[in-house]
């Protein structure tokens, strides 16, 4: 950087960066800041570019960490940034047209520095670096500067909630924005969107990113942070009144999915009409200013992934998840989680509860559409889980939708491609299904939705199938995958709970879904017999030897028998409540009737086998009376007739199968590392050295 410097390798020798990190204090009123901040560059768009930038500037950052206690230059830079943002809001008479540009550049530098500082020191040490002023002693600091951290945090939140992205004159009554729009229209033929929208998008993204960096101290601790200086600032004082507006803005950023400006485009483009000092500075021709700085060259194209998504939407969602999962303060619950739990639909005219000052309204239809479209990412699935689990208004709205398949199909696709997804993403998708199946209306309606040609389901061509039958197929496939690969009891339990919740409302099951239910039972039966045989052989072999300990086959048998019991209860629930609606299940049951013989007299299954045995006997008798060599169509016809004739009082009543999802105690032990692993792996233009990460291991991220 500097007049002739655009190479990353030259950054450590850049005279302006050296002065910033040098031994001389720089007053916040020094002209140096105008020189430092008047650069134009393409903001790095991926972690690889950020890694190059961080490695090139690490010596600068280390020098600033060492010398800042004497110079207070970090504090001066922050004060300069704060003054630039205040200039954004003064009045329409403001004549300094560089303020938003320089504010963005100052924030980018602050974010880069903070990331290094936070990764190398405690929060207490970081706070001290904010307090150092232009004094000789390393321990000198001013009384007012204790609040500089809070002032910066509050300013970042204000930037996020108050700066509109596009066509700002249509979205605000602010005079200064109206004036700024008018000024840009006079300078740019591309209009406000192409000029002002680009830079406001960039500064909004930078503000969101800097807030994430501020909270990233959690990455460098193995234990969950329950008392944090930054958390305290965000949950109290000046930041607290912005809680609902911040959550609402982050949600709308996610909903809108605004595309980022093309790389290499800047608000202050070089002018050919001799536009005076402003345009000379902006185009990088003034002596002593940074030249155009790009990673990969001027005008380099963004990655295909970035072209298809919105960095601001992605980053906003990550910040929202981080804020929502902050631990409660000792004296107050997390206000961001409270806001997420209580917001309502814009069409809901009921009064807000006085017990929650952070409630707000948002367009549920737009939110639902965004959630349906974005489920390929862990972040969007986690957001959907949080909203369904914690916000009863959202849950009620989602369950009332008549196009529920738009939400359920992406979730099923996540489970179907279980081998390609990380375990946390699969868990969240499965728990979402479990929460949905707690509602009887959902369980009925999914069998009324008929789908055509499910192309991603490869095991069998499904030209027409109900959403309910497809859901059963995918959940059973997940169970079978888990049995042969991961053997995760938690996954088994939730899969079976979802099937159990639906079982009483099974309707018109597709023949393939009915077959897979019985096939799963067959697989479990074989597994049971295999473990039983191994236990018997092991016991016989141990009679002649007392040296080697016996494998714990009893535990394995107990787990398998629990799963078998649950499958029998699911089948029984369907037969008891909706026998006449499911001839294909009765057909599959009769076809594999021998499979159930061994469980008739088993003490763990005798009671639940009574109804299944009765159904098998009743329909077997009717088929024998009909004669031999019956066609499939004829068998189904006999089953349908028999279902009407079977006296319902002959079937024993069992308690209704109902399971409800409940978070485990201390859910933050799971969710906080998960959220930060998503930030580490998915955040736009953020890189942390993997060797520094303490919160999770790299294979869990």
């Amino acid at each position: 950087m500097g007049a002739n410097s655009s190479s990353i390798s030259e950054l450590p020798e850049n005279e302006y960066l050296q002065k910033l990190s040098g031994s001389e204090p720089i007053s916040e009123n020094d002209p140096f800041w105008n020189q430092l901040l008047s650069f134009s560059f393409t903001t790095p768009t991926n972690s690889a570019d950020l890694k190059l930038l961080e490695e090139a500037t690490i010596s600068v950052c280390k020098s600033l960490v060492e010398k800042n206690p004497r110079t207070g230059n970090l504090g001066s830079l922050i004060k300069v940034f704060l003054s630039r943002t205040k200039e954004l809001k003064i009045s329409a008479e403001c004549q300094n047209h560089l303020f938003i540009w320089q504010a963005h550049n100052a924030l980018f530098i602050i974010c880069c520095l903070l990331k290094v500082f936070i990764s190398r020191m405690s929060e207490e040490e970081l706070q001290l670096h904010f307090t150092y002023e232009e004094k000789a002693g390393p321990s000198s600091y001013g009384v007012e500067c204790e609040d500089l951290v809070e002032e910066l945090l509050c300013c970042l939140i204000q930037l996020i909630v108050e700066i509109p992205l596009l066509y700002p004159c249509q979205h605000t009554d602010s005079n200064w924005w109206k004036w700024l729009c008018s000024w840009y229209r006079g300078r740019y033929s591309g209009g406000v969107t192409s000029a002002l929208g680009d830079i406001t998008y960039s500064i909004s993204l930078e503000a969101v990113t800097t807030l994430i960096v501020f909270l990233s101290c959690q990455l460098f601790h193995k234990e969950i942070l329950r008392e944090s200086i930054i958390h305290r600032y965000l949950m109290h004082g000046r930041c607290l009144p912005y809680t609902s507006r911040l959550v609402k803005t982050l949600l709308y950023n996610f909903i809108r999915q605004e595309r980022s400006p093309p790389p290499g485009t800047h608000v202050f483009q070089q002018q050919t009409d001799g536009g005076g000092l402003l345009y000379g500075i902006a185009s990088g021709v003034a002596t002593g200013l940074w030249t155009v700085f790009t990673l990969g060259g001027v005008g380099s194209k963004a990655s295909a992934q970035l072209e298809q998504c919105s960095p601001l939407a992605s980053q906003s969602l990550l910040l929202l998840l981080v804020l929502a999962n902050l631990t409660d303060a000792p004296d107050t619950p997390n206000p961001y989680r409270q806001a997420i739990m209580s917001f309502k639909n814009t069409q809901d005219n009921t009064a807000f509860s006085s017990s929650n000052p952070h409630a707000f309204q948002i367009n549920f239809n737009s939110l639902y559409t965004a959630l349906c479209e974005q489920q390929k990412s862990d972040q969007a699935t986690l957001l959907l889980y949080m909203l369904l689990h914690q916000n009863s208004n959202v849950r009620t709205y989602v369950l009332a939708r008549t196009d529920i398949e738009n939400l359920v199909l992406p979730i099923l696709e996540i489970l179907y491609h279980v081998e390609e997804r990380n375990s946390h993403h699969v868990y969240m998708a499965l728990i979402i299904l479990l929460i949905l199946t707690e509602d009887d209306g959902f369980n009925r309606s999914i069998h009324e939705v008929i789908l055509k040609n499910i192309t991603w389901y490869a095991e069998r061509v499904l030209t027409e199938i109900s959403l309910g039958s497809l859901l059963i197929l995918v959940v059973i496939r997940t169970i079978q995958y888990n049995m042969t690969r991961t053997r995760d009891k938690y996954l088994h339990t939730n899969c079976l709970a979802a099937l159990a919740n639906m079982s009483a409302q099974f309707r018109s099951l597709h023949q393939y879904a009915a077959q897979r239910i019985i096939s799963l039972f067959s697989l479990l039966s074989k597994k049971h017999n295999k473990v039983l045989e191994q236990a018997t052989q092991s016991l016989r072999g141990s009679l002649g030897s007392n040296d080697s300990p016996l494998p714990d086959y009893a535990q394995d048998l107990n787990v398998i028998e629990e799963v078998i019991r649950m499958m029998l209860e699911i089948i029984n629930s369907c037969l008891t409540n909706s026998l006449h609606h499911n001839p294909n299940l009765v057909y599959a049951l009769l076809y594999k009737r021998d499979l159930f013989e061994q469980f008739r007299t088993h003490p763990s299954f005798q009671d639940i086998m009574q109804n299944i045995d009765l159904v098998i006997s009743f329909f077997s008798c009717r088929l024998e009376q009909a004669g031999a060599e019956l066609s499939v169509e004829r068998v189904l016809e006999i089953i349908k007739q028999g279902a009407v004739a079977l006296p319902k009082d002959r079937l024993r009543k069992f308690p209704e199968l109902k399971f409800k999802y409940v978070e485990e105690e201390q859910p933050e032990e799971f969710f906080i590392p998960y959220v930060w692993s998503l930030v580490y792996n998915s955040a736009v233009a953020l890189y942390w050295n993997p060797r520094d990460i303490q919160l999770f291991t790299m294979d869990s991220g």
Side-chain angles (χ1 to χ4, degrees):
M1 303 193 179
N4 299 304
S5 173
S6 61
S7 169
I8 293 179
S9 61
E10 298 174 26
L11 291 180
E13 286 74 42
N14 177 267
E15 59 176 305
Y16 298 99
L17 293 179
Q18 286 186 336
K19 184 172 181 179
L20 175 66
S21 60
S23 302
E24 296 297 321
I26 307 169
S27 166
E28 58 191 280
N29 300 315
D30 196 299
F32 163 80
W33 300 110
N34 283 331
Q35 297 173 327
L36 177 72
L37 301 179
S38 295
F39 63 90
S40 180
F41 68 98
T42 299
T43 304
T45 55
N46 58 63
S47 60
D49 290 346
L50 260 293
K51 180 181 179 182
L52 293 176
L53 177 60
E54 180 168 313
E55 290 173 348
T57 57
I58 193 68
S59 60
V60 174
C61 294
K62 286 182 176 179
S63 177
L64 185 60
V65 169
E66 177 185 348
K67 297 173 182 175
N68 184 63
R70 289 186 174 274
T71 66
N73 285 345
L74 175 64
S76 295
L77 172 61
I78 291 170
K79 290 176 184 177
V80 169
F81 166 70
L82 294 173
S83 70
R84 294 297 192 273
T85 57
K86 288 175 183 176
E87 289 171 7
L88 294 177
K89 304 169 186 176
I90 48 174
S91 71
E93 287 76 30
C94 174
Q95 297 299 310
N96 181 8
H97 308 316
L98 292 174
F99 45 78
I100 193 167
W101 179 38
Q102 290 193 344
H104 170 271
N105 291 349
L107 185 54
F108 174 74
I109 296 172
I110 290 169
C111 186
C112 291
L113 295 175
L114 278 178
K115 192 162 65 65
V116 176
F117 273 55
I118 289 170
S119 67
R120 282 167 167 73
M121 62 185 68
S122 68
E123 284 188 302
E124 290 75 17
E125 291 175 286
L126 176 67
Q127 191 175 32
L128 278 179
H129 274 279
F130 275 74
T131 65
Y132 296 130
E133 291 188 324
E134 307 161 39
K135 296 186 179 181
S139 61
S140 301
Y141 48 91
V143 293
E144 66 171 65
C145 288
E146 185 179 348
D147 294 326
L148 191 59
V149 176
E150 183 178 35
E151 192 169 351
L152 177 56
L153 286 168
C154 195
C155 178
L156 293 173
I157 293 173
Q158 288 173 334
L159 280 175
I160 294 169
V161 303
E162 292 182 359
I163 292 184
L165 298 182
L166 300 172
Y167 298 112
C169 298
Q170 298 178 9
H171 296 293
T172 180
D173 294 327
S174 173
N175 287 330
W176 66 276
W177 272 114
K178 289 180 178 178
W179 164 79
L180 200 53
C181 291
S182 175
W183 183 83
Y184 272 103
R185 286 197 183 97
R187 299 301 309 179
Y188 291 92
S189 59
V192 176
T193 302
S194 60
L196 184 59
D198 289 354
I199 193 64
T200 56
Y201 188 103
S202 297
I203 198 170
S204 295
L205 176 58
E206 205 62 54
V208 171
T209 301
T210 307
L211 271 180
I212 291 175
V213 168
F214 250 123
L215 291 160
S216 65
C217 52
Q218 176 65 81
L219 282 171
F220 312 106
H221 294 79
K222 287 184 178 180
E223 70 282 357
I224 302 301
L225 293 180
R226 301 186 185 278
E227 292 190 24
S228 160
I229 293 172
I230 304 302
H231 295 185
R232 191 161 61 246
Y233 278 124
L234 289 172
M235 293 187 187
H236 298 84
R238 294 173 56 192
C239 295
L240 185 62
Y242 291 95
T243 296
S244 60
R245 292 178 64 191
L246 178 58
V247 171
K248 183 176 182 177
T249 301
L250 295 175
L251 276 172
Y252 268 126
N253 286 348
F254 166 70
I255 289 170
R256 288 168 180 151
Q257 294 289 317
E258 295 281 4
R259 299 290 195 247
S260 62
T265 61
H266 311 287
V267 170
F268 295 91
Q269 303 289 352
Q270 186 170 351
Q271 302 291 308
T272 58
D273 59 356
L277 176 62
L278 166 64
Y279 300 106
I281 291 177
S283 61
V285 297
T287 302
L289 302 181
W290 293 5
T291 60
V292 174
F293 165 47
T294 62
L295 296 175
V298 178
S300 60
K301 294 183 178 179
S303 67
Q305 183 179 3
L306 277 176
E307 289 176 354
Q308 295 171 3
C309 70
S310 163
L312 180 60
S314 174
Q315 211 86 324
S316 294
L317 179 53
L318 288 171
L319 175 58
L320 181 63
L321 294 174
V322 170
L323 291 171
N325 285 282
L326 297 179
T327 56
D328 293 336
D331 55 344
T332 182
N334 178 347
Y336 302 96
R337 186 183 301 119
Q338 283 188 312
I340 286 176
M341 291 172 63
S342 58
F343 71 82
K344 302 190 303 183
N345 194 355
T346 49
Q347 296 179 351
D348 186 345
N349 296 320
T350 58
F352 285 111
S353 170
S354 58
S355 62
N356 187 355
H358 307 299
F360 61 91
Q361 289 180 298
I362 203 167
N363 187 310
F364 276 17
N365 182 61
S366 300
L367 176 61
Y368 180 81
T369 301
L371 288 169
C372 292
E373 292 175 349
Q374 302 300 322
Q375 283 307 307
K376 289 185 179 179
S377 75
D378 283 71
Q379 301 93 286
T381 304
L382 181 54
L383 175 64
L384 175 59
Y385 158 77
M386 286 171 46
L387 295 179
L388 289 175
H389 178 55
Q390 299 177 0
N391 190 312
S392 59
N393 300 318
V394 173
R395 183 168 61 251
T396 300
Y397 177 86
V398 167
L399 290 169
R401 293 286 300 206
T402 58
D403 59 348
I404 193 67
E405 68 273 13
N406 291 339
L407 187 68
V408 175
L409 282 173
I411 299 300
L412 294 183
E413 201 166 350
I414 293 169
L415 292 175
Y416 183 80
H417 296 292
V418 57
E419 65 278 358
E420 301 172 11
R421 305 288 182 178
N422 68 71
S423 60
H424 290 0
H425 198 186
V426 172
Y427 285 151
M428 290 299 101
L430 186 55
I431 292 170
I432 286 168
L433 288 185
L434 179 55
I435 292 172
L436 293 174
T437 61
E438 292 171 10
D439 182 76
D440 286 340
F442 171 84
N443 295 331
R444 286 190 296 269
S445 66
I446 55 176
H447 293 287
E448 298 169 0
V449 178
I450 304 302
L451 307 170
K452 306 280 188 179
N453 299 317
I454 308 301
T455 55
W456 47 263
Y457 194 93
E459 279 81 355
R460 177 163 172 162
V461 176
L462 299 175
T463 55
E464 184 173 293
I465 189 171
S466 71
L467 179 61
S469 289
L470 181 63
L471 196 158
I472 292 168
L473 285 175
V474 172
V475 171
I476 287 176
R477 185 180 185 275
T478 305
I479 294 173
Q480 291 179 324
Y481 176 86
N482 187 49
M483 287 176 62
T484 57
R485 305 286 183 86
T486 56
R487 297 186 177 184
D488 187 326
K489 184 180 179 181
Y490 181 83
L491 198 66
H492 259 20
T493 301
N494 285 283
C495 285
L496 291 168
L499 289 176
N501 283 347
M502 293 188 293
S503 60
Q505 277 84 34
F506 282 173
R507 294 291 187 276
S508 303
L509 290 184
H510 191 281
Q511 61 179 12
Y512 186 53
Q515 291 170 13
R516 298 310 296 163
I517 291 173
I518 304 304
S519 294
L520 175 59
F521 186 80
S522 175
L523 183 64
L524 290 168
S525 176
K526 291 177 182 177
K527 183 75 173 175
H528 178 267
N529 293 340
K530 182 178 179 180
V531 173
L532 194 59
E533 182 181 349
Q534 289 174 335
T536 303
Q537 291 177 350
S538 177
L539 184 61
R540 287 172 181 168
S542 66
L543 294 177
S545 173
N546 296 322
D547 298 332
S548 58
L550 287 173
D552 193 1
Y553 288 113
Q555 183 178 358
D556 289 345
L557 267 177
N558 184 54
V559 171
I560 293 172
E561 289 182 358
E562 284 181 3
V563 177
I564 289 175
R565 168 90 189 180
M566 180 68 81
M567 283 301 301
L568 288 172
E569 288 181 345
I570 290 168
I571 294 170
N572 178 73
S573 174
C574 177
L575 297 177
T576 304
N577 293 283
S578 53
L579 174 68
H580 57 293
H581 289 299
N582 293 288
N584 284 327
L585 181 62
V586 177
Y587 184 101
L589 201 62
L590 293 172
Y591 190 75
K592 291 284 187 178
R593 71 189 79 177
D594 295 342
L595 188 62
F596 296 88
E597 286 290 336
Q598 62 176 308
F599 300 107
R600 279 184 177 179
T601 56
H602 195 292
S604 298
F605 311 121
Q606 275 183 321
D607 59 336
I608 203 71
M609 276 298 301
Q610 289 180 18
N611 285 343
I612 296 173
D613 194 33
L614 186 149
V615 169
I616 290 174
S617 300
F618 177 82
F619 284 99
S620 295
C621 181
R622 293 181 74 91
L623 289 175
E624 289 174 4
Q625 293 173 0
E629 299 183 6
L630 300 173
S631 66
V632 173
E633 292 76 13
R634 178 58 182 151
V635 171
L636 286 172
E637 183 181 344
I638 294 170
I639 290 173
K640 291 175 184 178
Q641 294 170 351
V644 177
L646 177 65
K648 300 298 184 293
D649 56 2
R650 292 183 59 187
L651 296 174
R652 178 182 170 185
K653 294 294 183 182
F654 285 85
E656 185 180 10
L657 289 180
K658 273 297 173 186
F659 294 87
K660 186 176 179 63
Y661 170 72
V662 179
E663 278 188 347
E664 295 184 8
E665 292 185 15
Q666 296 185 315
E668 65 275 8
E669 297 288 344
F670 170 83
F671 285 105
I672 289 178
Y674 179 32
V675 168
W676 278 107
S677 73
L678 296 180
V679 174
Y680 177 84
N681 288 303
S682 308
V684 178
L686 277 177
Y687 168 81
W688 288 277
N689 190 325
R691 293 192 298 270
D692 296 334
I693 305 301
Q694 298 293 317
L695 181 61
F696 51 82
T697 57
M698 288 301 105
D699 58 356
S700 70

